[in-house]
Amino acid sequence: MGKFTHADKNLETLMDMDKTVAAANNSAQPRQMIPGHGLEFSNLSYSITKKQKKGGVDVKKEVFLLHDISGQAMRGEVMAIMGPSGAGKSTFLDAVAGRIAKGSLEGSVRIEGKPVTASYMKMISSYVMQDDQLFPMLTVFETFMFAAEVRLPPSISREEKKKRVYELLDQLGLTSAIHTYIGDEGRRGVSGGERRRVSIGTDIIHKPSLLFLDEPTSGLDSTSAYSVVEKVKDIARSGSVVLMTIHQPSFRIQLLLDRVTVLARGRLIYLGSPAALPAHLSGFGRPIPEGENSMEYLLDVIKEYDESTVGLEPLVLYQRDGIKPDHVARTPVRKTPKTPHAKTLGYSKHTINLNSQGFSIGSRAPGPESGQSEYFDDDDDDDDDDFNNSLERRAYPTPMHQSATYNPRLASHFYKDFSVWIYHGAKGTPRRAPSWTPARTPGRTPGLSISGRSYVSSAYPTPRRDPPRGHRPPPQPKTPVMFSPSEEWYEPSYEGFEIEEEVLDEPENGPKFANPWIREVAVLSWRTALNVIRTPELFLSREIVLTVMALILSTLFHNLKDESFKNINRLLNFYIFAVCLVFFSSNDAVPTFIQERFIFIRETSHNAYRASSYVISSLIVYLPFFAIQGFTFAVITHYMLQLRSSLFNFWMILYASLITTNAYVMLVSALVPSYITGYAVVIATTALFFLTCGFFLKRTNIPLVWKWLHYISAIKYPFEGLLLNEFQGPGLDHCFKGNVEDLSPGPLGEIKFSEQHSLDKAKFAQCMLIGDDIIDTMDIQLKSLWYDILILLAWGVLYRFFFYLVLRFYSKNVRK
């Protein structure tokens, strides 16, 4: 495999090569940008820590998914982000849109020349995801009207909102599908192209200044894809900045694009007009063959260089600095495929291995997270090669220093390289200063500019910049590197001035949300109610289950009005099963919310509404349905079983139980990644609640280390409330008689007589047990069922609050 070294190069050769590089730099004509206009992004870099086993040891290495990308997108234009699979297109779009967590992204983003915060970026932009997350049972018009209600301020009348909706429907070509349901896999609805246009329309109803689209043509046929891009072009013409990722656009779509950004392995390969691409490739020395599509040919060239020994560096250098490749770089040599026995080829078993950290044949920089200086040579396995071939920040050889041949490093190479090291040490070859702020450095809020370097938002830390050519300080001796290069070629210079930059943030630029909280709750409640009514299986299935089970239980536990010992156990068994049935009937909320969560994330990622509005609105809509379900079960069982308890109290306990269990299931659904995991967590915790509620193990019999489970059990409080409702009251009203053998086996265990029974034995002489005896035997401490109802509702409020916190701070569509 080829390797680039300074071997066999003397001092005179090195001096000549420096002159050649200087001449190439002077002749470069970099693309001129217009500072202070549109969306500017400078030196964007994004890295993750990748782990791999090497020699049986876990090695951490910082891998860059984006590497110093700079450019500009103008208003009224469509910029397409292109590249092969894995090029970093979506990552770059997320970086510009402020969807990467603070401290992870390095570089700066400006709008009209001013730094912005991620919060402000959310306010003025919209992001259309690759997957269309829409409610299937809403029509196209209802979907657009909801977007208008939450995106547009209340100062705009409803009639004006409707007018804007109709105009947008006409602009997107959706007039014929205005009353068609969105649909999903199980319901017929709009077509794929119409669905994609609906997704775009919901995010542009408020006319955002910036529009980001992730693969808007994915999964569409050529006609539908062209129609979507054509509508996006119309949106750009209205004055918006539009950036979209796209994979292999057709020739017709390319004609609609104003500017393209081509990436490969997270590096910038081309930025400019599609019409200028043939001239760019001709200048690089790879003219487009006759009849070949320029964009497809560029992707072929990228693949050829990526699989060669020279890598992508010649393409990156030519785009950034205008340095034309030499003959070796213009004719890349394909990498030699590795074989399982590649390590032994060309070597004797008696060969002495002189490789060490001091004499490594690799030219890669040490991994920043490995804990020690690691050099990876070419004798690694294929997996290691792929690992090292991922985008790391490392020194690259210049085209002048490239060699297409590789010779194993021997001890004699030390003497040949000695002149090179002396030369670099004496001359002090300047190394390009990092144009990025290390991710480990916390971001700072934009403030006073110091020596021309402005601090932008914490979401976009300001990069270190090289001073313009001619203003550089004398170079300092640095570690010798193979590549040193470039200028900031479009940023204006503020060298020598003390200026204070205005940072665009939401407090100074209007409210964060378009509508007040109460209006958001009203609009969200309207949409949720519409979905529930048109999706009857959400609650009708639960209503049917509770009705059928109430009838079955009434036939199994018939005639519970007799006050006999046998009926005591039957009442206890009925009530515990009733509580568990109510608890398990709420499990269907797990898949329902998990599907809805993605819509919530999409809508709130750009401040459509508050998380608290969503939590409250869903509760308001569900409350009537919970009341109906609880009342249905209570009425059927109360009258068929002839229970002596209060029907109203019975219903209130079931109602509170449904509210709390639904809140708990929603909380679990917000935390888990899939409904399968959600079901597992809910079933496991329900089993624990069931075991520690006081039916199987009374409070005094639970080990001390697990006693806390008894008090957090969501089944304990409704079960105790139902027992108090059934057995509490004047003693003579609950006078039980019968054979003692009928109490065993059962949950009562050892009978404990109540204080009332013990103090007045003469009064209860004809009663072997009274209701208070059963309550004391079940070790119930709180003697008021309303305490149990209030505590149960308090747990429901707490679960809802945790649910809000998860939605507010955990469910964010940002990269870590």
Side-chain angles (χ1 to χ4, degrees):
M1 183 177 293
K3 216 51 167 168
F4 313 110
T5 90
H6 285 294
D8 302 324
K9 301 252 188 324
N10 54 30
L11 292 177
E12 286 185 292
T13 306
L14 292 168
M15 298 289 284
D16 291 338
M17 285 190 295
D18 276 354
K19 293 177 183 178
T20 306
V21 173
N25 285 336
N26 292 333
S27 64
Q29 298 294 330
R31 176 175 300 278
Q32 295 297 320
M33 299 295 176
I34 307 176
H37 290 77
L39 176 68
E40 301 171 85
F41 43 92
S42 177
N43 305 114
L44 294 182
S45 295
Y46 173 58
S47 63
I48 59 174
T49 300
K50 187 175 180 180
K51 293 182 180 180
Q52 188 189 30
K53 282 191 176 294
K54 192 171 185 67
V57 179
D58 287 334
V59 178
K60 293 183 179 180
K61 178 164 289 191
E62 192 176 17
V63 179
F64 279 79
L65 304 183
L66 297 178
H67 187 112
D68 287 346
I69 299 178
S70 300
Q72 186 178 37
M74 301 297 292
R75 293 195 178 277
E77 293 185 353
V78 176
M79 173 183 278
I81 304 162
M82 302 174 58
S85 298
K89 300 185 293 294
S90 296
T91 305
F92 171 66
L93 194 70
D94 288 345
V96 179
R99 294 160 66 88
I100 293 181
K102 295 180 180 180
S104 299
L105 180 66
E106 305 155 2
S108 65
V109 174
R110 293 169 178 262
I111 297 176
E112 308 299 343
K114 297 177 181 179
V116 298
T117 63
S119 299
Y120 180 72
M121 181 67 77
K122 288 183 178 182
M123 285 180 53
I124 65 169
S125 66
S126 286
Y127 191 107
V128 181
M129 298 180 183
Q130 185 171 347
D131 298 325
D132 301 318
Q133 302 294 342
L134 301 167
F135 283 102
M137 294 311 296
L138 295 182
T139 65
V140 172
F141 177 76
E142 290 166 345
T143 303
F144 275 59
M145 271 308 297
F146 170 78
E149 292 287 356
V150 296
R151 296 278 191 176
L152 300 178
S155 58
I156 300 178
S157 67
R158 184 172 178 82
E159 292 303 320
E160 291 176 343
K161 292 176 181 176
K162 282 186 176 180
K163 182 180 178 181
R164 183 174 294 190
V165 166
Y166 282 119
E167 290 175 352
L168 187 58
L169 288 168
D170 182 62
Q171 181 184 359
L172 295 174
L174 293 169
T175 306
S176 60
I178 187 171
H179 296 301
T180 306
Y181 289 119
I182 299 298
D184 56 12
E185 294 82 0
R187 306 174 180 88
R188 292 183 61 85
V190 296
S191 65
E194 291 172 335
R195 187 184 182 92
R196 182 55 51 88
R197 278 177 276 163
V198 171
S199 294
I200 296 173
T202 57
D203 285 311
I204 65 172
I205 190 72
H206 60 303
K207 297 181 179 179
S209 298
L210 288 91
L211 178 62
F212 304 100
L213 303 101
D214 189 12
E215 297 281 1
T217 62
S218 176
L220 302 180
D221 59 82
S222 59
T223 303
S224 299
Y226 179 79
S227 176
V228 168
V229 178
E230 191 177 33
K231 304 306 178 185
V232 170
K233 177 73 172 179
D234 293 338
I235 296 169
R237 286 172 179 160
S238 65
S240 298
V241 178
V242 178
L243 286 83
M244 68 176 185
T245 61
I246 190 167
H247 190 68
Q248 289 187 338
S250 65
F251 179 74
R252 290 197 305 163
I253 291 179
Q254 292 180 34
L255 296 177
L256 297 174
L257 306 178
D258 299 292
R259 191 173 299 198
V260 294
T261 299
V262 182
L263 305 178
R265 289 191 179 271
R267 310 201 74 192
L268 184 60
I269 302 299
Y270 177 73
L271 174 61
S273 168
L277 182 55
H280 178 84
L281 288 172
S282 296
F284 181 72
R286 297 296 295 269
I288 301 174
E290 186 177 355
E292 190 82 19
N293 183 285
S294 59
M295 200 61 65
E296 293 179 358
Y297 182 70
L298 175 58
L299 296 178
D300 291 340
V301 171
I302 290 173
K303 181 180 180 181
E304 181 182 350
Y305 272 84
D306 189 36
E307 296 176 351
S308 71
T309 56
V310 297
L312 297 171
E313 191 63 17
L315 292 167
V316 176
L317 277 175
Y318 182 67
Q319 159 61 29
R320 187 181 62 205
D321 301 324
I323 299 178
K324 296 184 178 182
D326 61 0
H327 176 70
V328 175
R330 282 199 302 268
T331 55
V333 178
R334 188 177 179 87
K335 294 178 184 178
T336 304
K338 291 180 179 290
T339 65
H341 304 289
K343 292 186 178 183
T344 61
L345 295 177
Y347 292 92
S348 168
K349 64 180 180 179
H350 302 293
T351 301
I352 299 175
N353 184 7
L354 297 178
N355 290 337
S356 68
Q357 288 186 353
F359 301 98
S360 171
I361 65 175
S363 62
R364 303 183 190 278
E369 301 294 339
S370 61
Q372 61 181 359
S373 296
E374 295 286 348
Y375 292 85
F376 301 101
D377 54 30
D378 285 327
D379 290 337
D380 293 337
D381 297 335
D382 289 332
D383 292 339
D384 294 341
D385 180 68
D386 293 338
F387 178 67
N388 293 327
N389 210 18
S390 59
L391 195 55
E392 307 160 28
R393 186 178 298 280
R394 56 182 180 266
Y396 287 93
T398 63
M400 310 307 168
H401 296 164
Q402 294 170 353
S403 172
T405 60
Y406 162 68
N407 296 306
R409 181 176 292 275
L410 302 176
S412 59
H413 283 72
F414 169 80
Y415 301 103
K416 291 185 179 182
D417 287 343
F418 185 72
S419 61
V420 177
W421 298 338
I422 292 293
Y423 164 76
H424 283 306
K427 186 176 182 296
T429 304
R431 178 177 181 176
R432 182 188 180 205
S435 58
W436 45 278
T437 302
R440 291 168 290 279
T441 303
R444 286 176 283 187
T445 305
L448 185 65
S449 172
I450 302 175
S451 300
R453 296 187 180 99
S454 60
Y455 297 113
V456 297
S457 71
S458 58
Y460 303 105
T462 301
R464 277 183 60 186
R465 310 185 191 284
D466 292 341
R469 190 181 300 278
H471 293 78
R472 292 187 176 182
Q476 301 297 324
K478 299 283 182 79
T479 305
V481 294
M482 302 293 291
F483 166 61
S484 72
S486 90
E487 313 297 327
E488 286 295 336
W489 31 264
Y490 76 95
E491 287 270 357
S493 173
Y494 301 105
E495 194 71 34
F497 292 93
E498 294 288 336
I499 59 174
E500 183 174 351
E501 290 189 295
E502 178 188 359
V503 180
L504 301 179
D505 202 356
E506 77 270 7
E508 294 80 16
N509 293 273
K512 187 175 182 180
F513 299 95
N515 290 276
W517 182 82
I518 190 67
R519 180 168 180 80
E520 290 179 356
V521 172
V523 174
L524 286 167
S525 298
W526 164 74
R527 185 181 69 172
T528 305
L530 210 57
N531 271 301
V532 171
I533 293 171
R534 291 180 181 171
T535 316
E537 59 267 23
L538 289 177
F539 284 96
L540 186 60
S541 60
R542 193 184 304 179
E543 179 72 15
I544 293 174
V545 167
L546 290 175
T547 301
V548 172
M549 290 305 299
L551 294 173
I552 294 175
L553 289 176
S554 298
T555 56
L556 289 174
F557 297 93
H558 61 88
N559 193 19
L560 291 179
K561 68 176 182 179
D562 294 337
E563 294 179 334
S564 63
F565 282 3
K566 185 179 295 185
N567 277 348
I568 292 177
N569 280 335
R570 296 177 69 209
L571 282 167
L572 294 176
N573 293 334
F574 165 73
Y575 281 128
I576 190 63
F577 189 84
V579 174
C580 289
L581 177 64
V582 168
F583 201 103
F584 281 111
S585 69
S586 299
N587 287 6
D588 59 357
V590 174
T592 301
F593 173 73
I594 287 179
Q595 294 173 0
E596 194 171 318
R597 179 175 60 186
F598 297 107
I599 301 177
F600 168 83
I601 292 174
R602 178 184 66 82
E603 293 175 338
T604 57
S605 62
H606 287 266
N607 301 339
Y609 50 82
R610 300 166 179 85
S612 58
S613 305
Y614 176 84
V615 173
I616 297 300
S617 64
S618 64
L619 176 61
I620 291 174
V621 173
Y622 292 161
L623 284 177
F625 293 96
F626 294 153
I628 294 172
Q629 292 163 7
F631 187 75
T632 301
F633 186 86
V635 168
I636 293 175
T637 54
H638 189 274
Y639 285 105
M640 291 190 68
L641 295 176
Q642 302 180 21
L643 300 175
R644 300 170 63 88
S645 59
S646 166
L647 174 62
F648 177 77
N649 292 343
F650 188 18
W651 170 59
M652 285 300 299
I653 294 169
L654 294 180
Y655 187 26
S657 183
L658 283 167
I659 294 173
T660 301
T661 53
N662 179 264
Y664 174 73
V665 172
M666 295 281 275
L667 172 61
V668 172
S669 302
L671 288 170
V672 298
S674 65
Y675 72 90
I676 297 177
T677 308
Y679 276 133
V681 173
V682 169
I683 291 173
T685 52
T686 302
L688 287 175
F689 291 164
F690 188 30
L691 183 62
T692 58
C693 70
F695 181 80
F696 293 104
L697 291 174
K698 297 184 178 64
R699 178 181 57 86
T700 53
N701 295 332
I702 299 176
L704 183 63
V705 68
W706 295 111
K707 192 161 289 187
W708 57 274
L709 281 172
H710 175 73
Y711 295 101
I712 70 169
S713 172
I715 297 179
K716 159 186 162 63
Y717 300 100
F719 176 60
E720 291 184 355
L722 291 174
L723 296 188
L724 290 172
N725 185 45
E726 178 66 35
F727 295 108
Q728 198 175 44
L732 293 177
D733 289 345
H734 300 280
C735 182
F736 294 92
K737 303 174 184 178
N739 297 323
V740 179
E741 292 79 8
D742 292 336
L743 297 176
S744 181
L748 284 176
E750 183 181 354
I751 300 296
K752 295 180 181 179
F753 291 100
S754 63
E755 184 178 356
Q756 182 184 11
H757 196 174
S758 301
L759 292 178
D760 199 353
K761 292 184 179 180
K763 180 179 179 181
F764 302 112
Q766 72 275 24
C767 299
M768 299 180 64
L769 288 176
I770 63 174
D772 286 349
D773 295 337
I774 299 172
I775 292 173
D776 287 354
T777 301
M778 294 302 294
D779 201 13
I780 297 176
Q781 294 176 300
L782 298 175
K783 302 300 183 180
S784 172
L785 66 87
W786 290 105
Y787 284 151
D788 286 307
I789 292 175
L790 290 176
I791 293 174
L792 187 61
L793 291 175
W795 276 110
V797 171
L798 186 62
Y799 290 146
R800 286 277 171 182
F801 177 69
F802 287 152
F803 177 52
Y804 161 74
L805 293 180
V806 172
L807 295 183
R808 176 68 177 82
F809 300 104
Y810 179 72
S811 297
K812 291 182 177 291
N813 196 6
V814 295
R815 297 174 186 256
K816 303 299 183 182

